[in-house]
Amino acid sequence: MRILLVDDNNTNLKLLTKLVGKLDNCVALPFASPDAVLSALPDLDFDVAIIDYQMPVYNGVELFTEIVRFEKYAQVPVIFVTADKDMTTRMAALNAGAIDFLTKPVNPVEFQARVQNIVSLAEARRQLANQAENLRREVERAVGELRLREREIIHRLTLAAGYKDPETSRHTLRVAAYSEAIAVELGLPEHQCHDIRLAAPMHDIGKVAMPDTVLLKQGKLTEAEYRQMQSHAQIGSDILAQSHSSLLQLASEIAASHHERWDGQGYPNRLVGEAIPIAGRIVCIADNFDALTTERPYKPAWTYERTVEHILGRAGTQFDPHCIAAFERALPKIHEIMERDRHEREREAAEQFRSRPGEKVA
Ligand SMILES: [Fe+2]
Ligand SMILES: [Fe+2]
Protein backbone atom coordinates (compact mmCIF):
# COMPACT_ATOMS: atom_id res chain seq x y z
CA MET A 1 0.00 0.00 0.00
CA ARG A 2 1.33 3.43 -0.95
CA ILE A 3 0.45 6.15 1.52
CA LEU A 4 0.58 9.82 0.58
CA LEU A 5 1.70 12.05 3.45
CA VAL A 6 1.39 15.83 3.22
CA ASP A 7 2.55 18.09 6.05
CA ASP A 8 4.29 21.45 5.87
CA ASN A 9 5.95 20.82 9.23
CA ASN A 10 9.12 18.86 8.59
CA THR A 11 9.28 17.27 12.04
CA ASN A 12 5.73 16.02 11.75
CA LEU A 13 6.35 14.76 8.21
CA LYS A 14 9.37 12.78 9.38
CA LEU A 15 7.38 11.30 12.26
CA LEU A 16 4.49 10.29 9.98
CA THR A 17 6.95 8.77 7.48
CA LYS A 18 8.57 6.75 10.26
CA LEU A 19 5.20 5.53 11.56
CA VAL A 20 4.06 4.46 8.11
CA GLY A 21 7.32 2.57 7.71
CA LYS A 22 6.34 0.45 10.71
CA LEU A 23 3.07 -0.68 9.13
CA ASP A 24 3.03 -3.98 7.23
CA ASN A 25 3.50 -3.64 3.47
CA CYS A 26 3.18 0.13 3.52
CA VAL A 27 5.34 2.68 1.73
CA ALA A 28 5.26 6.39 2.58
CA LEU A 29 5.18 9.08 -0.12
CA PRO A 30 6.06 12.21 1.92
CA PHE A 31 5.42 15.74 0.59
CA ALA A 32 6.17 18.99 2.43
CA SER A 33 3.79 21.20 0.47
CA PRO A 34 0.47 20.97 -1.40
CA ASP A 35 2.13 22.49 -4.48
CA ALA A 36 4.67 19.68 -4.64
CA VAL A 37 1.82 17.14 -4.43
CA LEU A 38 -0.18 18.84 -7.16
CA SER A 39 2.69 18.93 -9.62
CA ALA A 40 3.52 15.26 -8.94
CA LEU A 41 -0.14 14.10 -8.98
CA PRO A 42 -0.51 12.80 -12.54
CA ASP A 43 2.25 10.22 -12.02
CA LEU A 44 1.72 9.55 -8.33
CA ASP A 45 0.05 6.36 -7.35
CA PHE A 46 -1.26 5.96 -3.82
CA ASP A 47 -3.98 4.07 -1.99
CA VAL A 48 -4.46 6.17 1.16
CA ALA A 49 -3.86 9.90 1.82
CA ILE A 50 -2.93 11.41 5.19
CA ILE A 51 -3.06 15.19 4.93
CA ASP A 52 -2.34 17.93 7.42
CA TYR A 53 -5.39 20.16 7.69
CA GLN A 54 -3.65 23.46 8.52
CA MET A 55 -1.21 24.39 5.73
CA PRO A 56 -0.36 27.70 4.02
CA VAL A 57 -1.86 28.55 0.57
CA TYR A 58 -3.97 25.41 0.32
CA ASN A 59 -5.46 23.90 3.43
CA GLY A 60 -5.87 20.12 3.61
CA VAL A 61 -9.46 20.12 2.36
CA GLU A 62 -8.65 22.36 -0.60
CA LEU A 63 -5.74 20.13 -1.54
CA PHE A 64 -7.87 17.00 -1.29
CA THR A 65 -10.57 18.61 -3.47
CA GLU A 66 -7.91 19.07 -6.16
CA ILE A 67 -6.66 15.51 -5.72
CA VAL A 68 -10.06 13.86 -6.23
CA ARG A 69 -10.52 15.70 -9.52
CA PHE A 70 -8.29 12.93 -10.88
CA GLU A 71 -10.51 9.94 -11.52
CA LYS A 72 -7.93 7.45 -10.27
CA TYR A 73 -7.97 9.09 -6.83
CA ALA A 74 -11.73 9.62 -6.59
CA GLN A 75 -12.17 6.67 -4.20
CA VAL A 76 -8.97 7.10 -2.19
CA PRO A 77 -9.65 7.18 1.58
CA VAL A 78 -8.27 10.27 3.30
CA ILE A 79 -7.38 11.02 6.91
CA PHE A 80 -6.90 14.63 7.99
CA VAL A 81 -4.41 15.48 10.68
CA THR A 82 -5.68 18.40 12.72
CA ALA A 83 -4.76 20.22 15.88
CA ASP A 84 -8.22 21.60 15.77
CA LYS A 85 -11.08 20.10 17.72
CA ASP A 86 -13.28 22.79 16.25
CA MET A 87 -16.52 21.29 14.88
CA THR A 88 -16.57 23.57 11.80
CA THR A 89 -13.14 22.35 10.68
CA ARG A 90 -14.13 18.74 11.19
CA MET A 91 -17.41 19.19 9.32
CA ALA A 92 -15.55 20.77 6.37
CA ALA A 93 -13.17 17.81 6.34
CA LEU A 94 -16.03 15.28 6.53
CA ASN A 95 -17.85 17.04 3.71
CA ALA A 96 -14.69 16.81 1.63
CA GLY A 97 -14.76 13.01 2.10
CA ALA A 98 -12.55 12.52 5.16
CA ILE A 99 -12.86 9.02 6.49
CA ASP A 100 -11.07 9.68 9.80
CA PHE A 101 -9.11 12.26 11.83
CA LEU A 102 -5.83 12.24 13.68
CA THR A 103 -5.28 14.83 16.33
CA LYS A 104 -1.93 16.58 16.75
CA PRO A 105 0.35 15.77 18.39
CA VAL A 106 -0.01 12.37 16.76
CA ASN A 107 0.00 9.47 19.16
CA PRO A 108 1.99 6.60 17.57
CA VAL A 109 -0.28 3.87 18.96
CA GLU A 110 -3.45 5.63 17.84
CA PHE A 111 -1.85 6.32 14.46
CA GLN A 112 -0.96 2.65 14.04
CA ALA A 113 -4.49 1.50 14.87
CA ARG A 114 -6.37 4.06 12.79
CA VAL A 115 -4.15 3.91 9.72
CA GLN A 116 -4.07 0.12 9.80
CA ASN A 117 -7.89 0.14 9.68
CA ILE A 118 -7.93 2.48 6.71
CA VAL A 119 -5.29 0.43 4.91
CA SER A 120 -7.42 -2.71 5.39
CA LEU A 121 -10.41 -0.82 4.02
CA ALA A 122 -8.40 0.35 0.99
CA GLU A 123 -7.23 -3.23 0.42
CA ALA A 124 -10.80 -4.54 0.56
CA ARG A 125 -11.91 -1.83 -1.88
CA ARG A 126 -9.12 -2.70 -4.27
CA GLN A 127 -10.00 -6.40 -4.13
CA LEU A 128 -13.65 -5.58 -4.79
CA ALA A 129 -12.70 -3.40 -7.73
CA ASN A 130 -10.50 -6.19 -9.10
CA GLN A 131 -13.31 -8.69 -8.67
CA ALA A 132 -15.75 -6.37 -10.43
CA GLU A 133 -13.26 -5.89 -13.26
CA ASN A 134 -12.68 -9.65 -13.52
CA LEU A 135 -16.43 -10.25 -13.59
CA ARG A 136 -16.88 -7.59 -16.26
CA ARG A 137 -14.18 -9.24 -18.38
CA GLU A 138 -15.71 -12.67 -17.79
CA VAL A 139 -19.15 -11.46 -18.91
CA GLU A 140 -17.63 -9.73 -21.93
CA ARG A 141 -15.80 -12.93 -22.87
CA ALA A 142 -18.95 -15.04 -22.44
CA VAL A 143 -21.02 -12.64 -24.54
CA GLY A 144 -18.30 -12.62 -27.21
CA GLU A 145 -18.28 -16.41 -27.25
CA LEU A 146 -22.06 -16.52 -27.53
CA ARG A 147 -21.97 -14.16 -30.49
CA LEU A 148 -19.35 -16.38 -32.12
CA ARG A 149 -21.59 -19.43 -31.63
CA GLU A 150 -24.53 -17.54 -33.10
CA ARG A 151 -22.48 -16.60 -36.14
CA GLU A 152 -21.31 -20.18 -36.50
CA ILE A 153 -24.90 -21.45 -36.43
CA ILE A 154 -25.86 -18.91 -39.07
CA HIS A 155 -22.89 -19.83 -41.21
CA ARG A 156 -23.61 -23.54 -40.97
CA LEU A 157 -27.31 -23.11 -41.70
CA THR A 158 -26.44 -21.00 -44.73
CA LEU A 159 -23.96 -23.66 -45.86
CA ALA A 160 -26.64 -26.35 -45.50
CA ALA A 161 -29.07 -24.28 -47.56
CA GLY A 162 -26.34 -23.81 -50.18
CA TYR A 163 -26.41 -27.54 -51.01
CA LYS A 164 -30.03 -27.24 -51.99
CA ASP A 165 -30.28 -23.79 -53.49
CA PRO A 166 -28.75 -23.19 -56.92
CA GLU A 167 -28.06 -19.62 -55.88
CA THR A 168 -24.55 -19.73 -54.51
CA SER A 169 -23.57 -18.83 -51.00
CA ARG A 170 -21.94 -15.84 -52.69
CA HIS A 171 -25.45 -14.52 -53.38
CA THR A 172 -26.34 -14.59 -49.71
CA LEU A 173 -23.08 -12.93 -48.73
CA ARG A 174 -23.48 -10.18 -51.33
CA VAL A 175 -27.06 -9.57 -50.17
CA ALA A 176 -25.73 -9.30 -46.61
CA ALA A 177 -23.04 -6.78 -47.60
CA TYR A 178 -25.46 -4.69 -49.70
CA SER A 179 -28.01 -4.73 -46.86
CA GLU A 180 -25.43 -3.46 -44.38
CA ALA A 181 -24.44 -0.65 -46.78
CA ILE A 182 -28.09 0.44 -47.08
CA ALA A 183 -28.65 0.19 -43.31
CA VAL A 184 -25.59 2.38 -42.67
CA GLU A 185 -26.86 5.05 -45.10
CA LEU A 186 -30.26 4.84 -43.46
CA GLY A 187 -28.54 5.93 -40.24
CA LEU A 188 -29.37 2.81 -38.21
CA PRO A 189 -27.17 2.25 -35.12
CA GLU A 190 -23.89 0.48 -35.86
CA HIS A 191 -24.79 -2.71 -33.95
CA GLN A 192 -28.10 -2.98 -35.85
CA CYS A 193 -26.33 -2.58 -39.22
CA HIS A 194 -23.90 -5.29 -38.17
CA ASP A 195 -26.69 -7.63 -37.03
CA ILE A 196 -28.52 -7.15 -40.33
CA ARG A 197 -25.36 -8.18 -42.14
CA LEU A 198 -25.06 -11.30 -39.99
CA ALA A 199 -28.73 -12.30 -40.24
CA ALA A 200 -29.40 -11.46 -43.91
CA PRO A 201 -27.64 -14.52 -45.40
CA MET A 202 -30.48 -16.70 -44.11
CA HIS A 203 -33.25 -14.83 -45.89
CA ASP A 204 -33.91 -17.77 -48.27
CA ILE A 205 -33.29 -20.59 -45.78
CA GLY A 206 -36.90 -21.73 -46.32
CA LYS A 207 -35.93 -22.91 -49.80
CA VAL A 208 -34.55 -26.08 -48.18
CA ALA A 209 -38.19 -27.17 -47.97
CA MET A 210 -38.86 -26.64 -51.69
CA PRO A 211 -38.96 -29.74 -53.91
CA ASP A 212 -36.10 -29.87 -56.41
CA THR A 213 -38.62 -30.05 -59.26
CA VAL A 214 -39.71 -26.52 -58.34
CA LEU A 215 -36.48 -25.06 -57.00
CA LEU A 216 -34.29 -26.27 -59.86
CA LYS A 217 -36.86 -25.92 -62.65
CA GLN A 218 -35.30 -24.25 -65.69
CA GLY A 219 -38.46 -22.96 -67.34
CA LYS A 220 -41.25 -20.74 -66.10
CA LEU A 221 -43.04 -21.89 -62.93
CA THR A 222 -46.71 -22.80 -63.08
CA GLU A 223 -49.11 -20.85 -60.92
CA ALA A 224 -49.16 -23.67 -58.33
CA GLU A 225 -45.36 -23.96 -58.35
CA TYR A 226 -45.01 -20.22 -57.93
CA ARG A 227 -47.32 -20.30 -54.91
CA GLN A 228 -45.34 -23.19 -53.48
CA MET A 229 -42.12 -21.26 -54.04
CA GLN A 230 -43.58 -18.28 -52.21
CA SER A 231 -44.01 -20.42 -49.11
CA HIS A 232 -40.20 -20.33 -48.60
CA ALA A 233 -40.58 -16.98 -46.81
CA GLN A 234 -42.91 -18.33 -44.10
CA ILE A 235 -41.07 -21.66 -43.84
CA GLY A 236 -37.74 -19.85 -43.42
CA SER A 237 -39.23 -17.69 -40.73
CA ASP A 238 -40.66 -20.76 -38.94
CA ILE A 239 -37.30 -22.55 -39.05
CA LEU A 240 -35.62 -19.64 -37.30
CA ALA A 241 -38.48 -18.50 -35.07
CA GLN A 242 -38.69 -18.75 -31.30
CA SER A 243 -34.96 -18.82 -30.82
CA HIS A 244 -33.53 -17.17 -27.73
CA SER A 245 -30.85 -15.68 -29.94
CA SER A 246 -31.65 -12.12 -30.96
CA LEU A 247 -29.70 -12.69 -34.15
CA LEU A 248 -31.81 -15.69 -35.12
CA GLN A 249 -34.96 -13.76 -34.23
CA LEU A 250 -33.84 -11.02 -36.61
CA ALA A 251 -33.05 -13.63 -39.26
CA SER A 252 -36.56 -15.04 -38.82
CA GLU A 253 -38.04 -11.57 -39.26
CA ILE A 254 -35.99 -11.01 -42.42
CA ALA A 255 -36.95 -14.42 -43.86
CA ALA A 256 -40.63 -13.64 -43.27
CA SER A 257 -40.56 -10.14 -44.72
CA HIS A 258 -38.01 -9.96 -47.54
CA HIS A 259 -40.72 -10.50 -50.20
CA GLU A 260 -43.23 -8.06 -48.75
CA ARG A 261 -43.84 -4.92 -50.82
CA TRP A 262 -44.23 -1.35 -49.62
CA ASP A 263 -47.59 -1.14 -51.47
CA GLY A 264 -48.93 -4.29 -49.79
CA GLN A 265 -48.74 -6.49 -52.90
CA GLY A 266 -46.00 -8.75 -51.58
CA TYR A 267 -46.04 -12.05 -49.71
CA PRO A 268 -46.55 -13.95 -47.43
CA ASN A 269 -48.60 -11.51 -45.31
CA ARG A 270 -49.28 -8.61 -47.72
CA LEU A 271 -47.95 -6.19 -45.11
CA VAL A 272 -48.05 -2.52 -46.06
CA GLY A 273 -45.46 0.25 -45.55
CA GLU A 274 -43.89 0.50 -42.12
CA ALA A 275 -45.73 -2.60 -40.93
CA ILE A 276 -42.93 -4.43 -42.78
CA PRO A 277 -39.91 -4.71 -40.45
CA ILE A 278 -37.13 -2.34 -41.46
CA ALA A 279 -34.60 -5.16 -41.89
CA GLY A 280 -37.00 -6.89 -44.33
CA ARG A 281 -37.45 -3.67 -46.32
CA ILE A 282 -33.67 -3.31 -46.60
CA VAL A 283 -32.90 -6.93 -47.50
CA CYS A 284 -35.70 -6.85 -50.08
CA ILE A 285 -33.85 -4.14 -52.04
CA ALA A 286 -30.47 -5.85 -51.65
CA ASP A 287 -31.94 -9.22 -52.74
CA ASN A 288 -33.59 -7.71 -55.82
CA PHE A 289 -30.44 -5.80 -56.76
CA ASP A 290 -28.38 -8.98 -56.57
CA ALA A 291 -30.92 -11.14 -58.39
CA LEU A 292 -31.02 -8.62 -61.26
CA THR A 293 -27.25 -8.05 -61.57
CA THR A 294 -26.46 -11.77 -61.63
CA GLU A 295 -27.28 -14.46 -64.15
CA ARG A 296 -30.19 -16.77 -63.28
CA PRO A 297 -31.46 -19.88 -65.12
CA TYR A 298 -34.36 -17.79 -66.44
CA LYS A 299 -32.47 -14.57 -67.34
CA PRO A 300 -29.07 -13.12 -68.13
CA ALA A 301 -27.39 -10.66 -65.75
CA TRP A 302 -28.62 -7.10 -66.10
CA THR A 303 -26.13 -4.25 -66.22
CA TYR A 304 -25.52 -2.25 -63.07
CA GLU A 305 -27.06 0.87 -64.65
CA ARG A 306 -30.22 -0.88 -65.82
CA THR A 307 -30.68 -2.50 -62.41
CA VAL A 308 -30.23 0.77 -60.52
CA GLU A 309 -32.74 2.52 -62.79
CA HIS A 310 -35.23 -0.34 -62.35
CA ILE A 311 -34.94 -0.29 -58.55
CA LEU A 312 -35.07 3.51 -58.18
CA GLY A 313 -38.20 3.51 -60.34
CA ARG A 314 -39.97 1.29 -57.80
CA ALA A 315 -39.61 3.59 -54.80
CA GLY A 316 -43.00 3.90 -53.14
CA THR A 317 -44.51 0.89 -54.93
CA GLN A 318 -42.32 -2.18 -54.42
CA PHE A 319 -39.80 -0.55 -52.09
CA ASP A 320 -39.75 1.80 -49.08
CA PRO A 321 -38.83 5.26 -50.48
CA HIS A 322 -36.59 6.03 -47.47
CA CYS A 323 -34.70 2.80 -47.97
CA ILE A 324 -34.41 3.56 -51.68
CA ALA A 325 -32.92 6.98 -50.86
CA ALA A 326 -30.41 5.19 -48.59
CA PHE A 327 -29.77 2.63 -51.35
CA GLU A 328 -29.03 5.49 -53.75
CA ARG A 329 -26.59 7.06 -51.28
CA ALA A 330 -24.98 3.65 -50.76
CA LEU A 331 -24.49 3.01 -54.50
CA PRO A 332 -20.72 3.76 -54.55
CA LYS A 333 -20.25 1.19 -51.76
CA ILE A 334 -22.66 -1.29 -53.40
CA HIS A 335 -20.84 -0.94 -56.72
CA GLU A 336 -17.53 -1.55 -54.96
CA ILE A 337 -18.88 -4.72 -53.26
CA MET A 338 -20.25 -5.97 -56.58
CA GLU A 339 -16.97 -5.35 -58.44
CA ARG A 340 -14.86 -6.92 -55.69
CA ASP A 341 -17.07 -10.00 -55.78
CA ARG A 342 -16.82 -10.17 -59.59
CA HIS A 343 -13.01 -10.08 -59.41
CA GLU A 344 -12.96 -12.78 -56.75
CA ARG A 345 -15.23 -15.00 -58.83
CA GLU A 346 -13.04 -14.51 -61.90
CA ARG A 347 -9.93 -15.31 -59.86
CA GLU A 348 -11.54 -18.45 -58.44
CA ALA A 349 -12.69 -19.55 -61.90
CA ALA A 350 -9.18 -19.05 -63.28
CA GLU A 351 -7.69 -21.08 -60.41
CA GLN A 352 -10.22 -23.83 -60.96
CA PHE A 353 -9.39 -23.83 -64.65
CA ARG A 354 -5.66 -24.06 -63.89
CA SER A 355 -6.15 -27.02 -61.56
CA ARG A 356 -8.56 -28.83 -63.90
CA PRO A 357 -7.92 -27.58 -67.46
CA GLY A 358 -10.48 -28.52 -70.07
CA GLU A 359 -13.30 -28.69 -67.52
CA LYS A 360 -16.09 -26.23 -68.05
CA VAL A 361 -16.05 -23.58 -65.33
CA ALA A 362 -19.34 -22.04 -64.30
FE1 LIG B 1 -36.55 -15.16 -51.07
FE1 LIG C 1 -32.28 -14.26 -52.24
Side-chain angles (χ1 to χ4, degrees):
M1 284 278 148
R2 291 159 66 83
I3 303 187
L4 174 75
L5 301 173
V6 194
D7 199 320
D8 61 315
N9 179 310
N10 227 1
T11 315
N12 284 345
L13 189 61
K14 275 188 185 152
L15 172 68
L16 293 178
T17 307
K18 202 171 139 196
L19 291 175
V20 166
K22 287 184 180 171
L23 296 170
D24 289 342
N25 303 320
C26 287
V27 178
L29 305 172
F31 283 84
S33 78
D35 280 342
V37 178
L38 289 178
S39 46
L41 258 188
D43 304 318
L44 265 185
D45 223 354
F46 55 89
D47 308 287
V48 175
I50 301 177
I51 304 174
D52 183 22
Y53 185 84
Q54 213 54 262
M55 290 186 291
V57 192
Y58 283 101
N59 69 31
V61 169
E62 286 163 347
L63 172 64
F64 190 64
T65 310
E66 290 303 313
I67 290 176
V68 292
R69 281 187 207 280
F70 285 75
E71 210 189 320
K72 62 174 173 173
Y73 304 127
Q75 301 298 324
V76 162
V78 60
I79 303 172
F80 286 108
V81 185
T82 167
D84 235 318
K85 289 217 170 116
D86 171 22
M87 206 51 191
T88 325
T89 308
R90 297 212 158 195
M91 280 312 291
L94 279 173
N95 287 337
I99 207 153
D100 204 355
F101 296 96
L102 283 166
T103 312
K104 281 183 182 174
V106 172
N107 175 311
V109 178
E110 188 189 1
F111 179 92
Q112 190 101 11
R114 289 187 184 242
V115 177
Q116 192 64 64
N117 276 346
I118 306 295
V119 165
S120 307
L121 177 76
E123 245 162 16
R125 270 192 190 171
R126 187 197 274 178
Q127 272 174 12
L128 256 179
N130 286 347
Q131 271 174 12
E133 177 59 19
N134 285 345
L135 262 176
R136 195 191 59 74
R137 283 206 200 130
E138 191 60 27
V139 169
E140 204 174 75
R141 195 190 55 75
V143 169
E145 214 159 82
L146 229 117
R147 294 289 287 180
L148 274 180
R149 294 288 159 271
E150 280 182 331
R151 281 191 211 182
E152 192 187 345
I153 291 169
I154 289 171
H155 178 62
R156 290 184 186 280
L157 276 174
T158 312
L159 273 182
Y163 282 97
K164 175 92 177 169
D165 193 342
E167 289 174 9
T168 62
S169 64
R170 281 197 168 278
H171 159 71
T172 60
L173 294 176
R174 281 191 306 265
V175 169
Y178 296 149
S179 299
E180 187 186 33
I182 299 169
V184 167
E185 285 301 332
L186 205 53
L188 297 186
E190 201 184 325
H191 70 92
Q192 199 177 349
C193 299
H194 192 60
D195 283 357
I196 287 175
R197 183 182 187 133
L198 292 175
M202 287 185 289
H203 65 276
D204 275 337
I205 197 91
K207 285 188 182 172
V208 294
M210 296 299 107
D212 287 351
T213 47
V214 177
L215 192 63
L216 306 177
K217 187 171 175 178
Q218 292 291 319
K220 208 170 176 293
L221 298 180
T222 65
E223 184 61 30
E225 286 167 340
Y226 185 61
R227 266 200 310 280
Q228 188 169 21
M229 193 65 174
Q230 286 184 334
S231 67
H232 81 275
Q234 191 56 54
I235 292 170
S237 172
D238 293 345
I239 289 172
L240 302 163
Q242 280 156 24
S243 165
H244 289 296
S245 149
S246 60
L247 216 47
L248 291 179
Q249 284 167 18
L250 177 64
S252 168
E253 190 179 86
I254 290 173
S257 58
H258 74 286
H259 285 291
E260 296 290 357
R261 288 176 51 121
W262 184 252
D263 58 13
Q265 299 304 304
Y267 63 86
N269 296 311
R270 295 178 77 89
L271 297 179
V272 184
E274 289 183 358
I276 307 164
I278 186 70
R281 280 180 262 156
I282 292 170
V283 173
C284 176
I285 297 172
D287 192 29
N288 271 272
F289 176 85
D290 195 68
L292 293 174
T293 48
T294 49
E295 192 185 327
R296 296 290 162 102
Y298 48 88
K299 68 157 210 33
W302 285 17
T303 64
Y304 168 79
E305 290 76 16
R306 183 183 172 195
T307 306
V308 170
E309 196 189 322
H310 172 90
I311 288 183
L312 295 185
R314 278 157 181 75
T317 51
Q318 187 174 358
F319 306 118
D320 173 357
H322 292 297
C323 290
I324 286 295
F327 164 77
E328 201 172 2
R329 289 194 295 276
L331 278 175
K333 178 80 190 161
I334 288 174
H335 191 255
E336 186 193 314
I337 296 165
M338 184 181 142
E339 283 302 297
R340 197 183 323 127
D341 180 79
R342 191 169 61 81
H343 285 129
E344 273 173 28
R345 273 186 291 148
E346 282 170 2
R347 190 176 46 76
E348 273 176 20
E351 265 169 26
Q352 221 173 323
F353 181 75
R354 266 199 301 277
S355 60
R356 280 175 283 177
E359 211 171 89
K360 188 179 175 293
V361 178

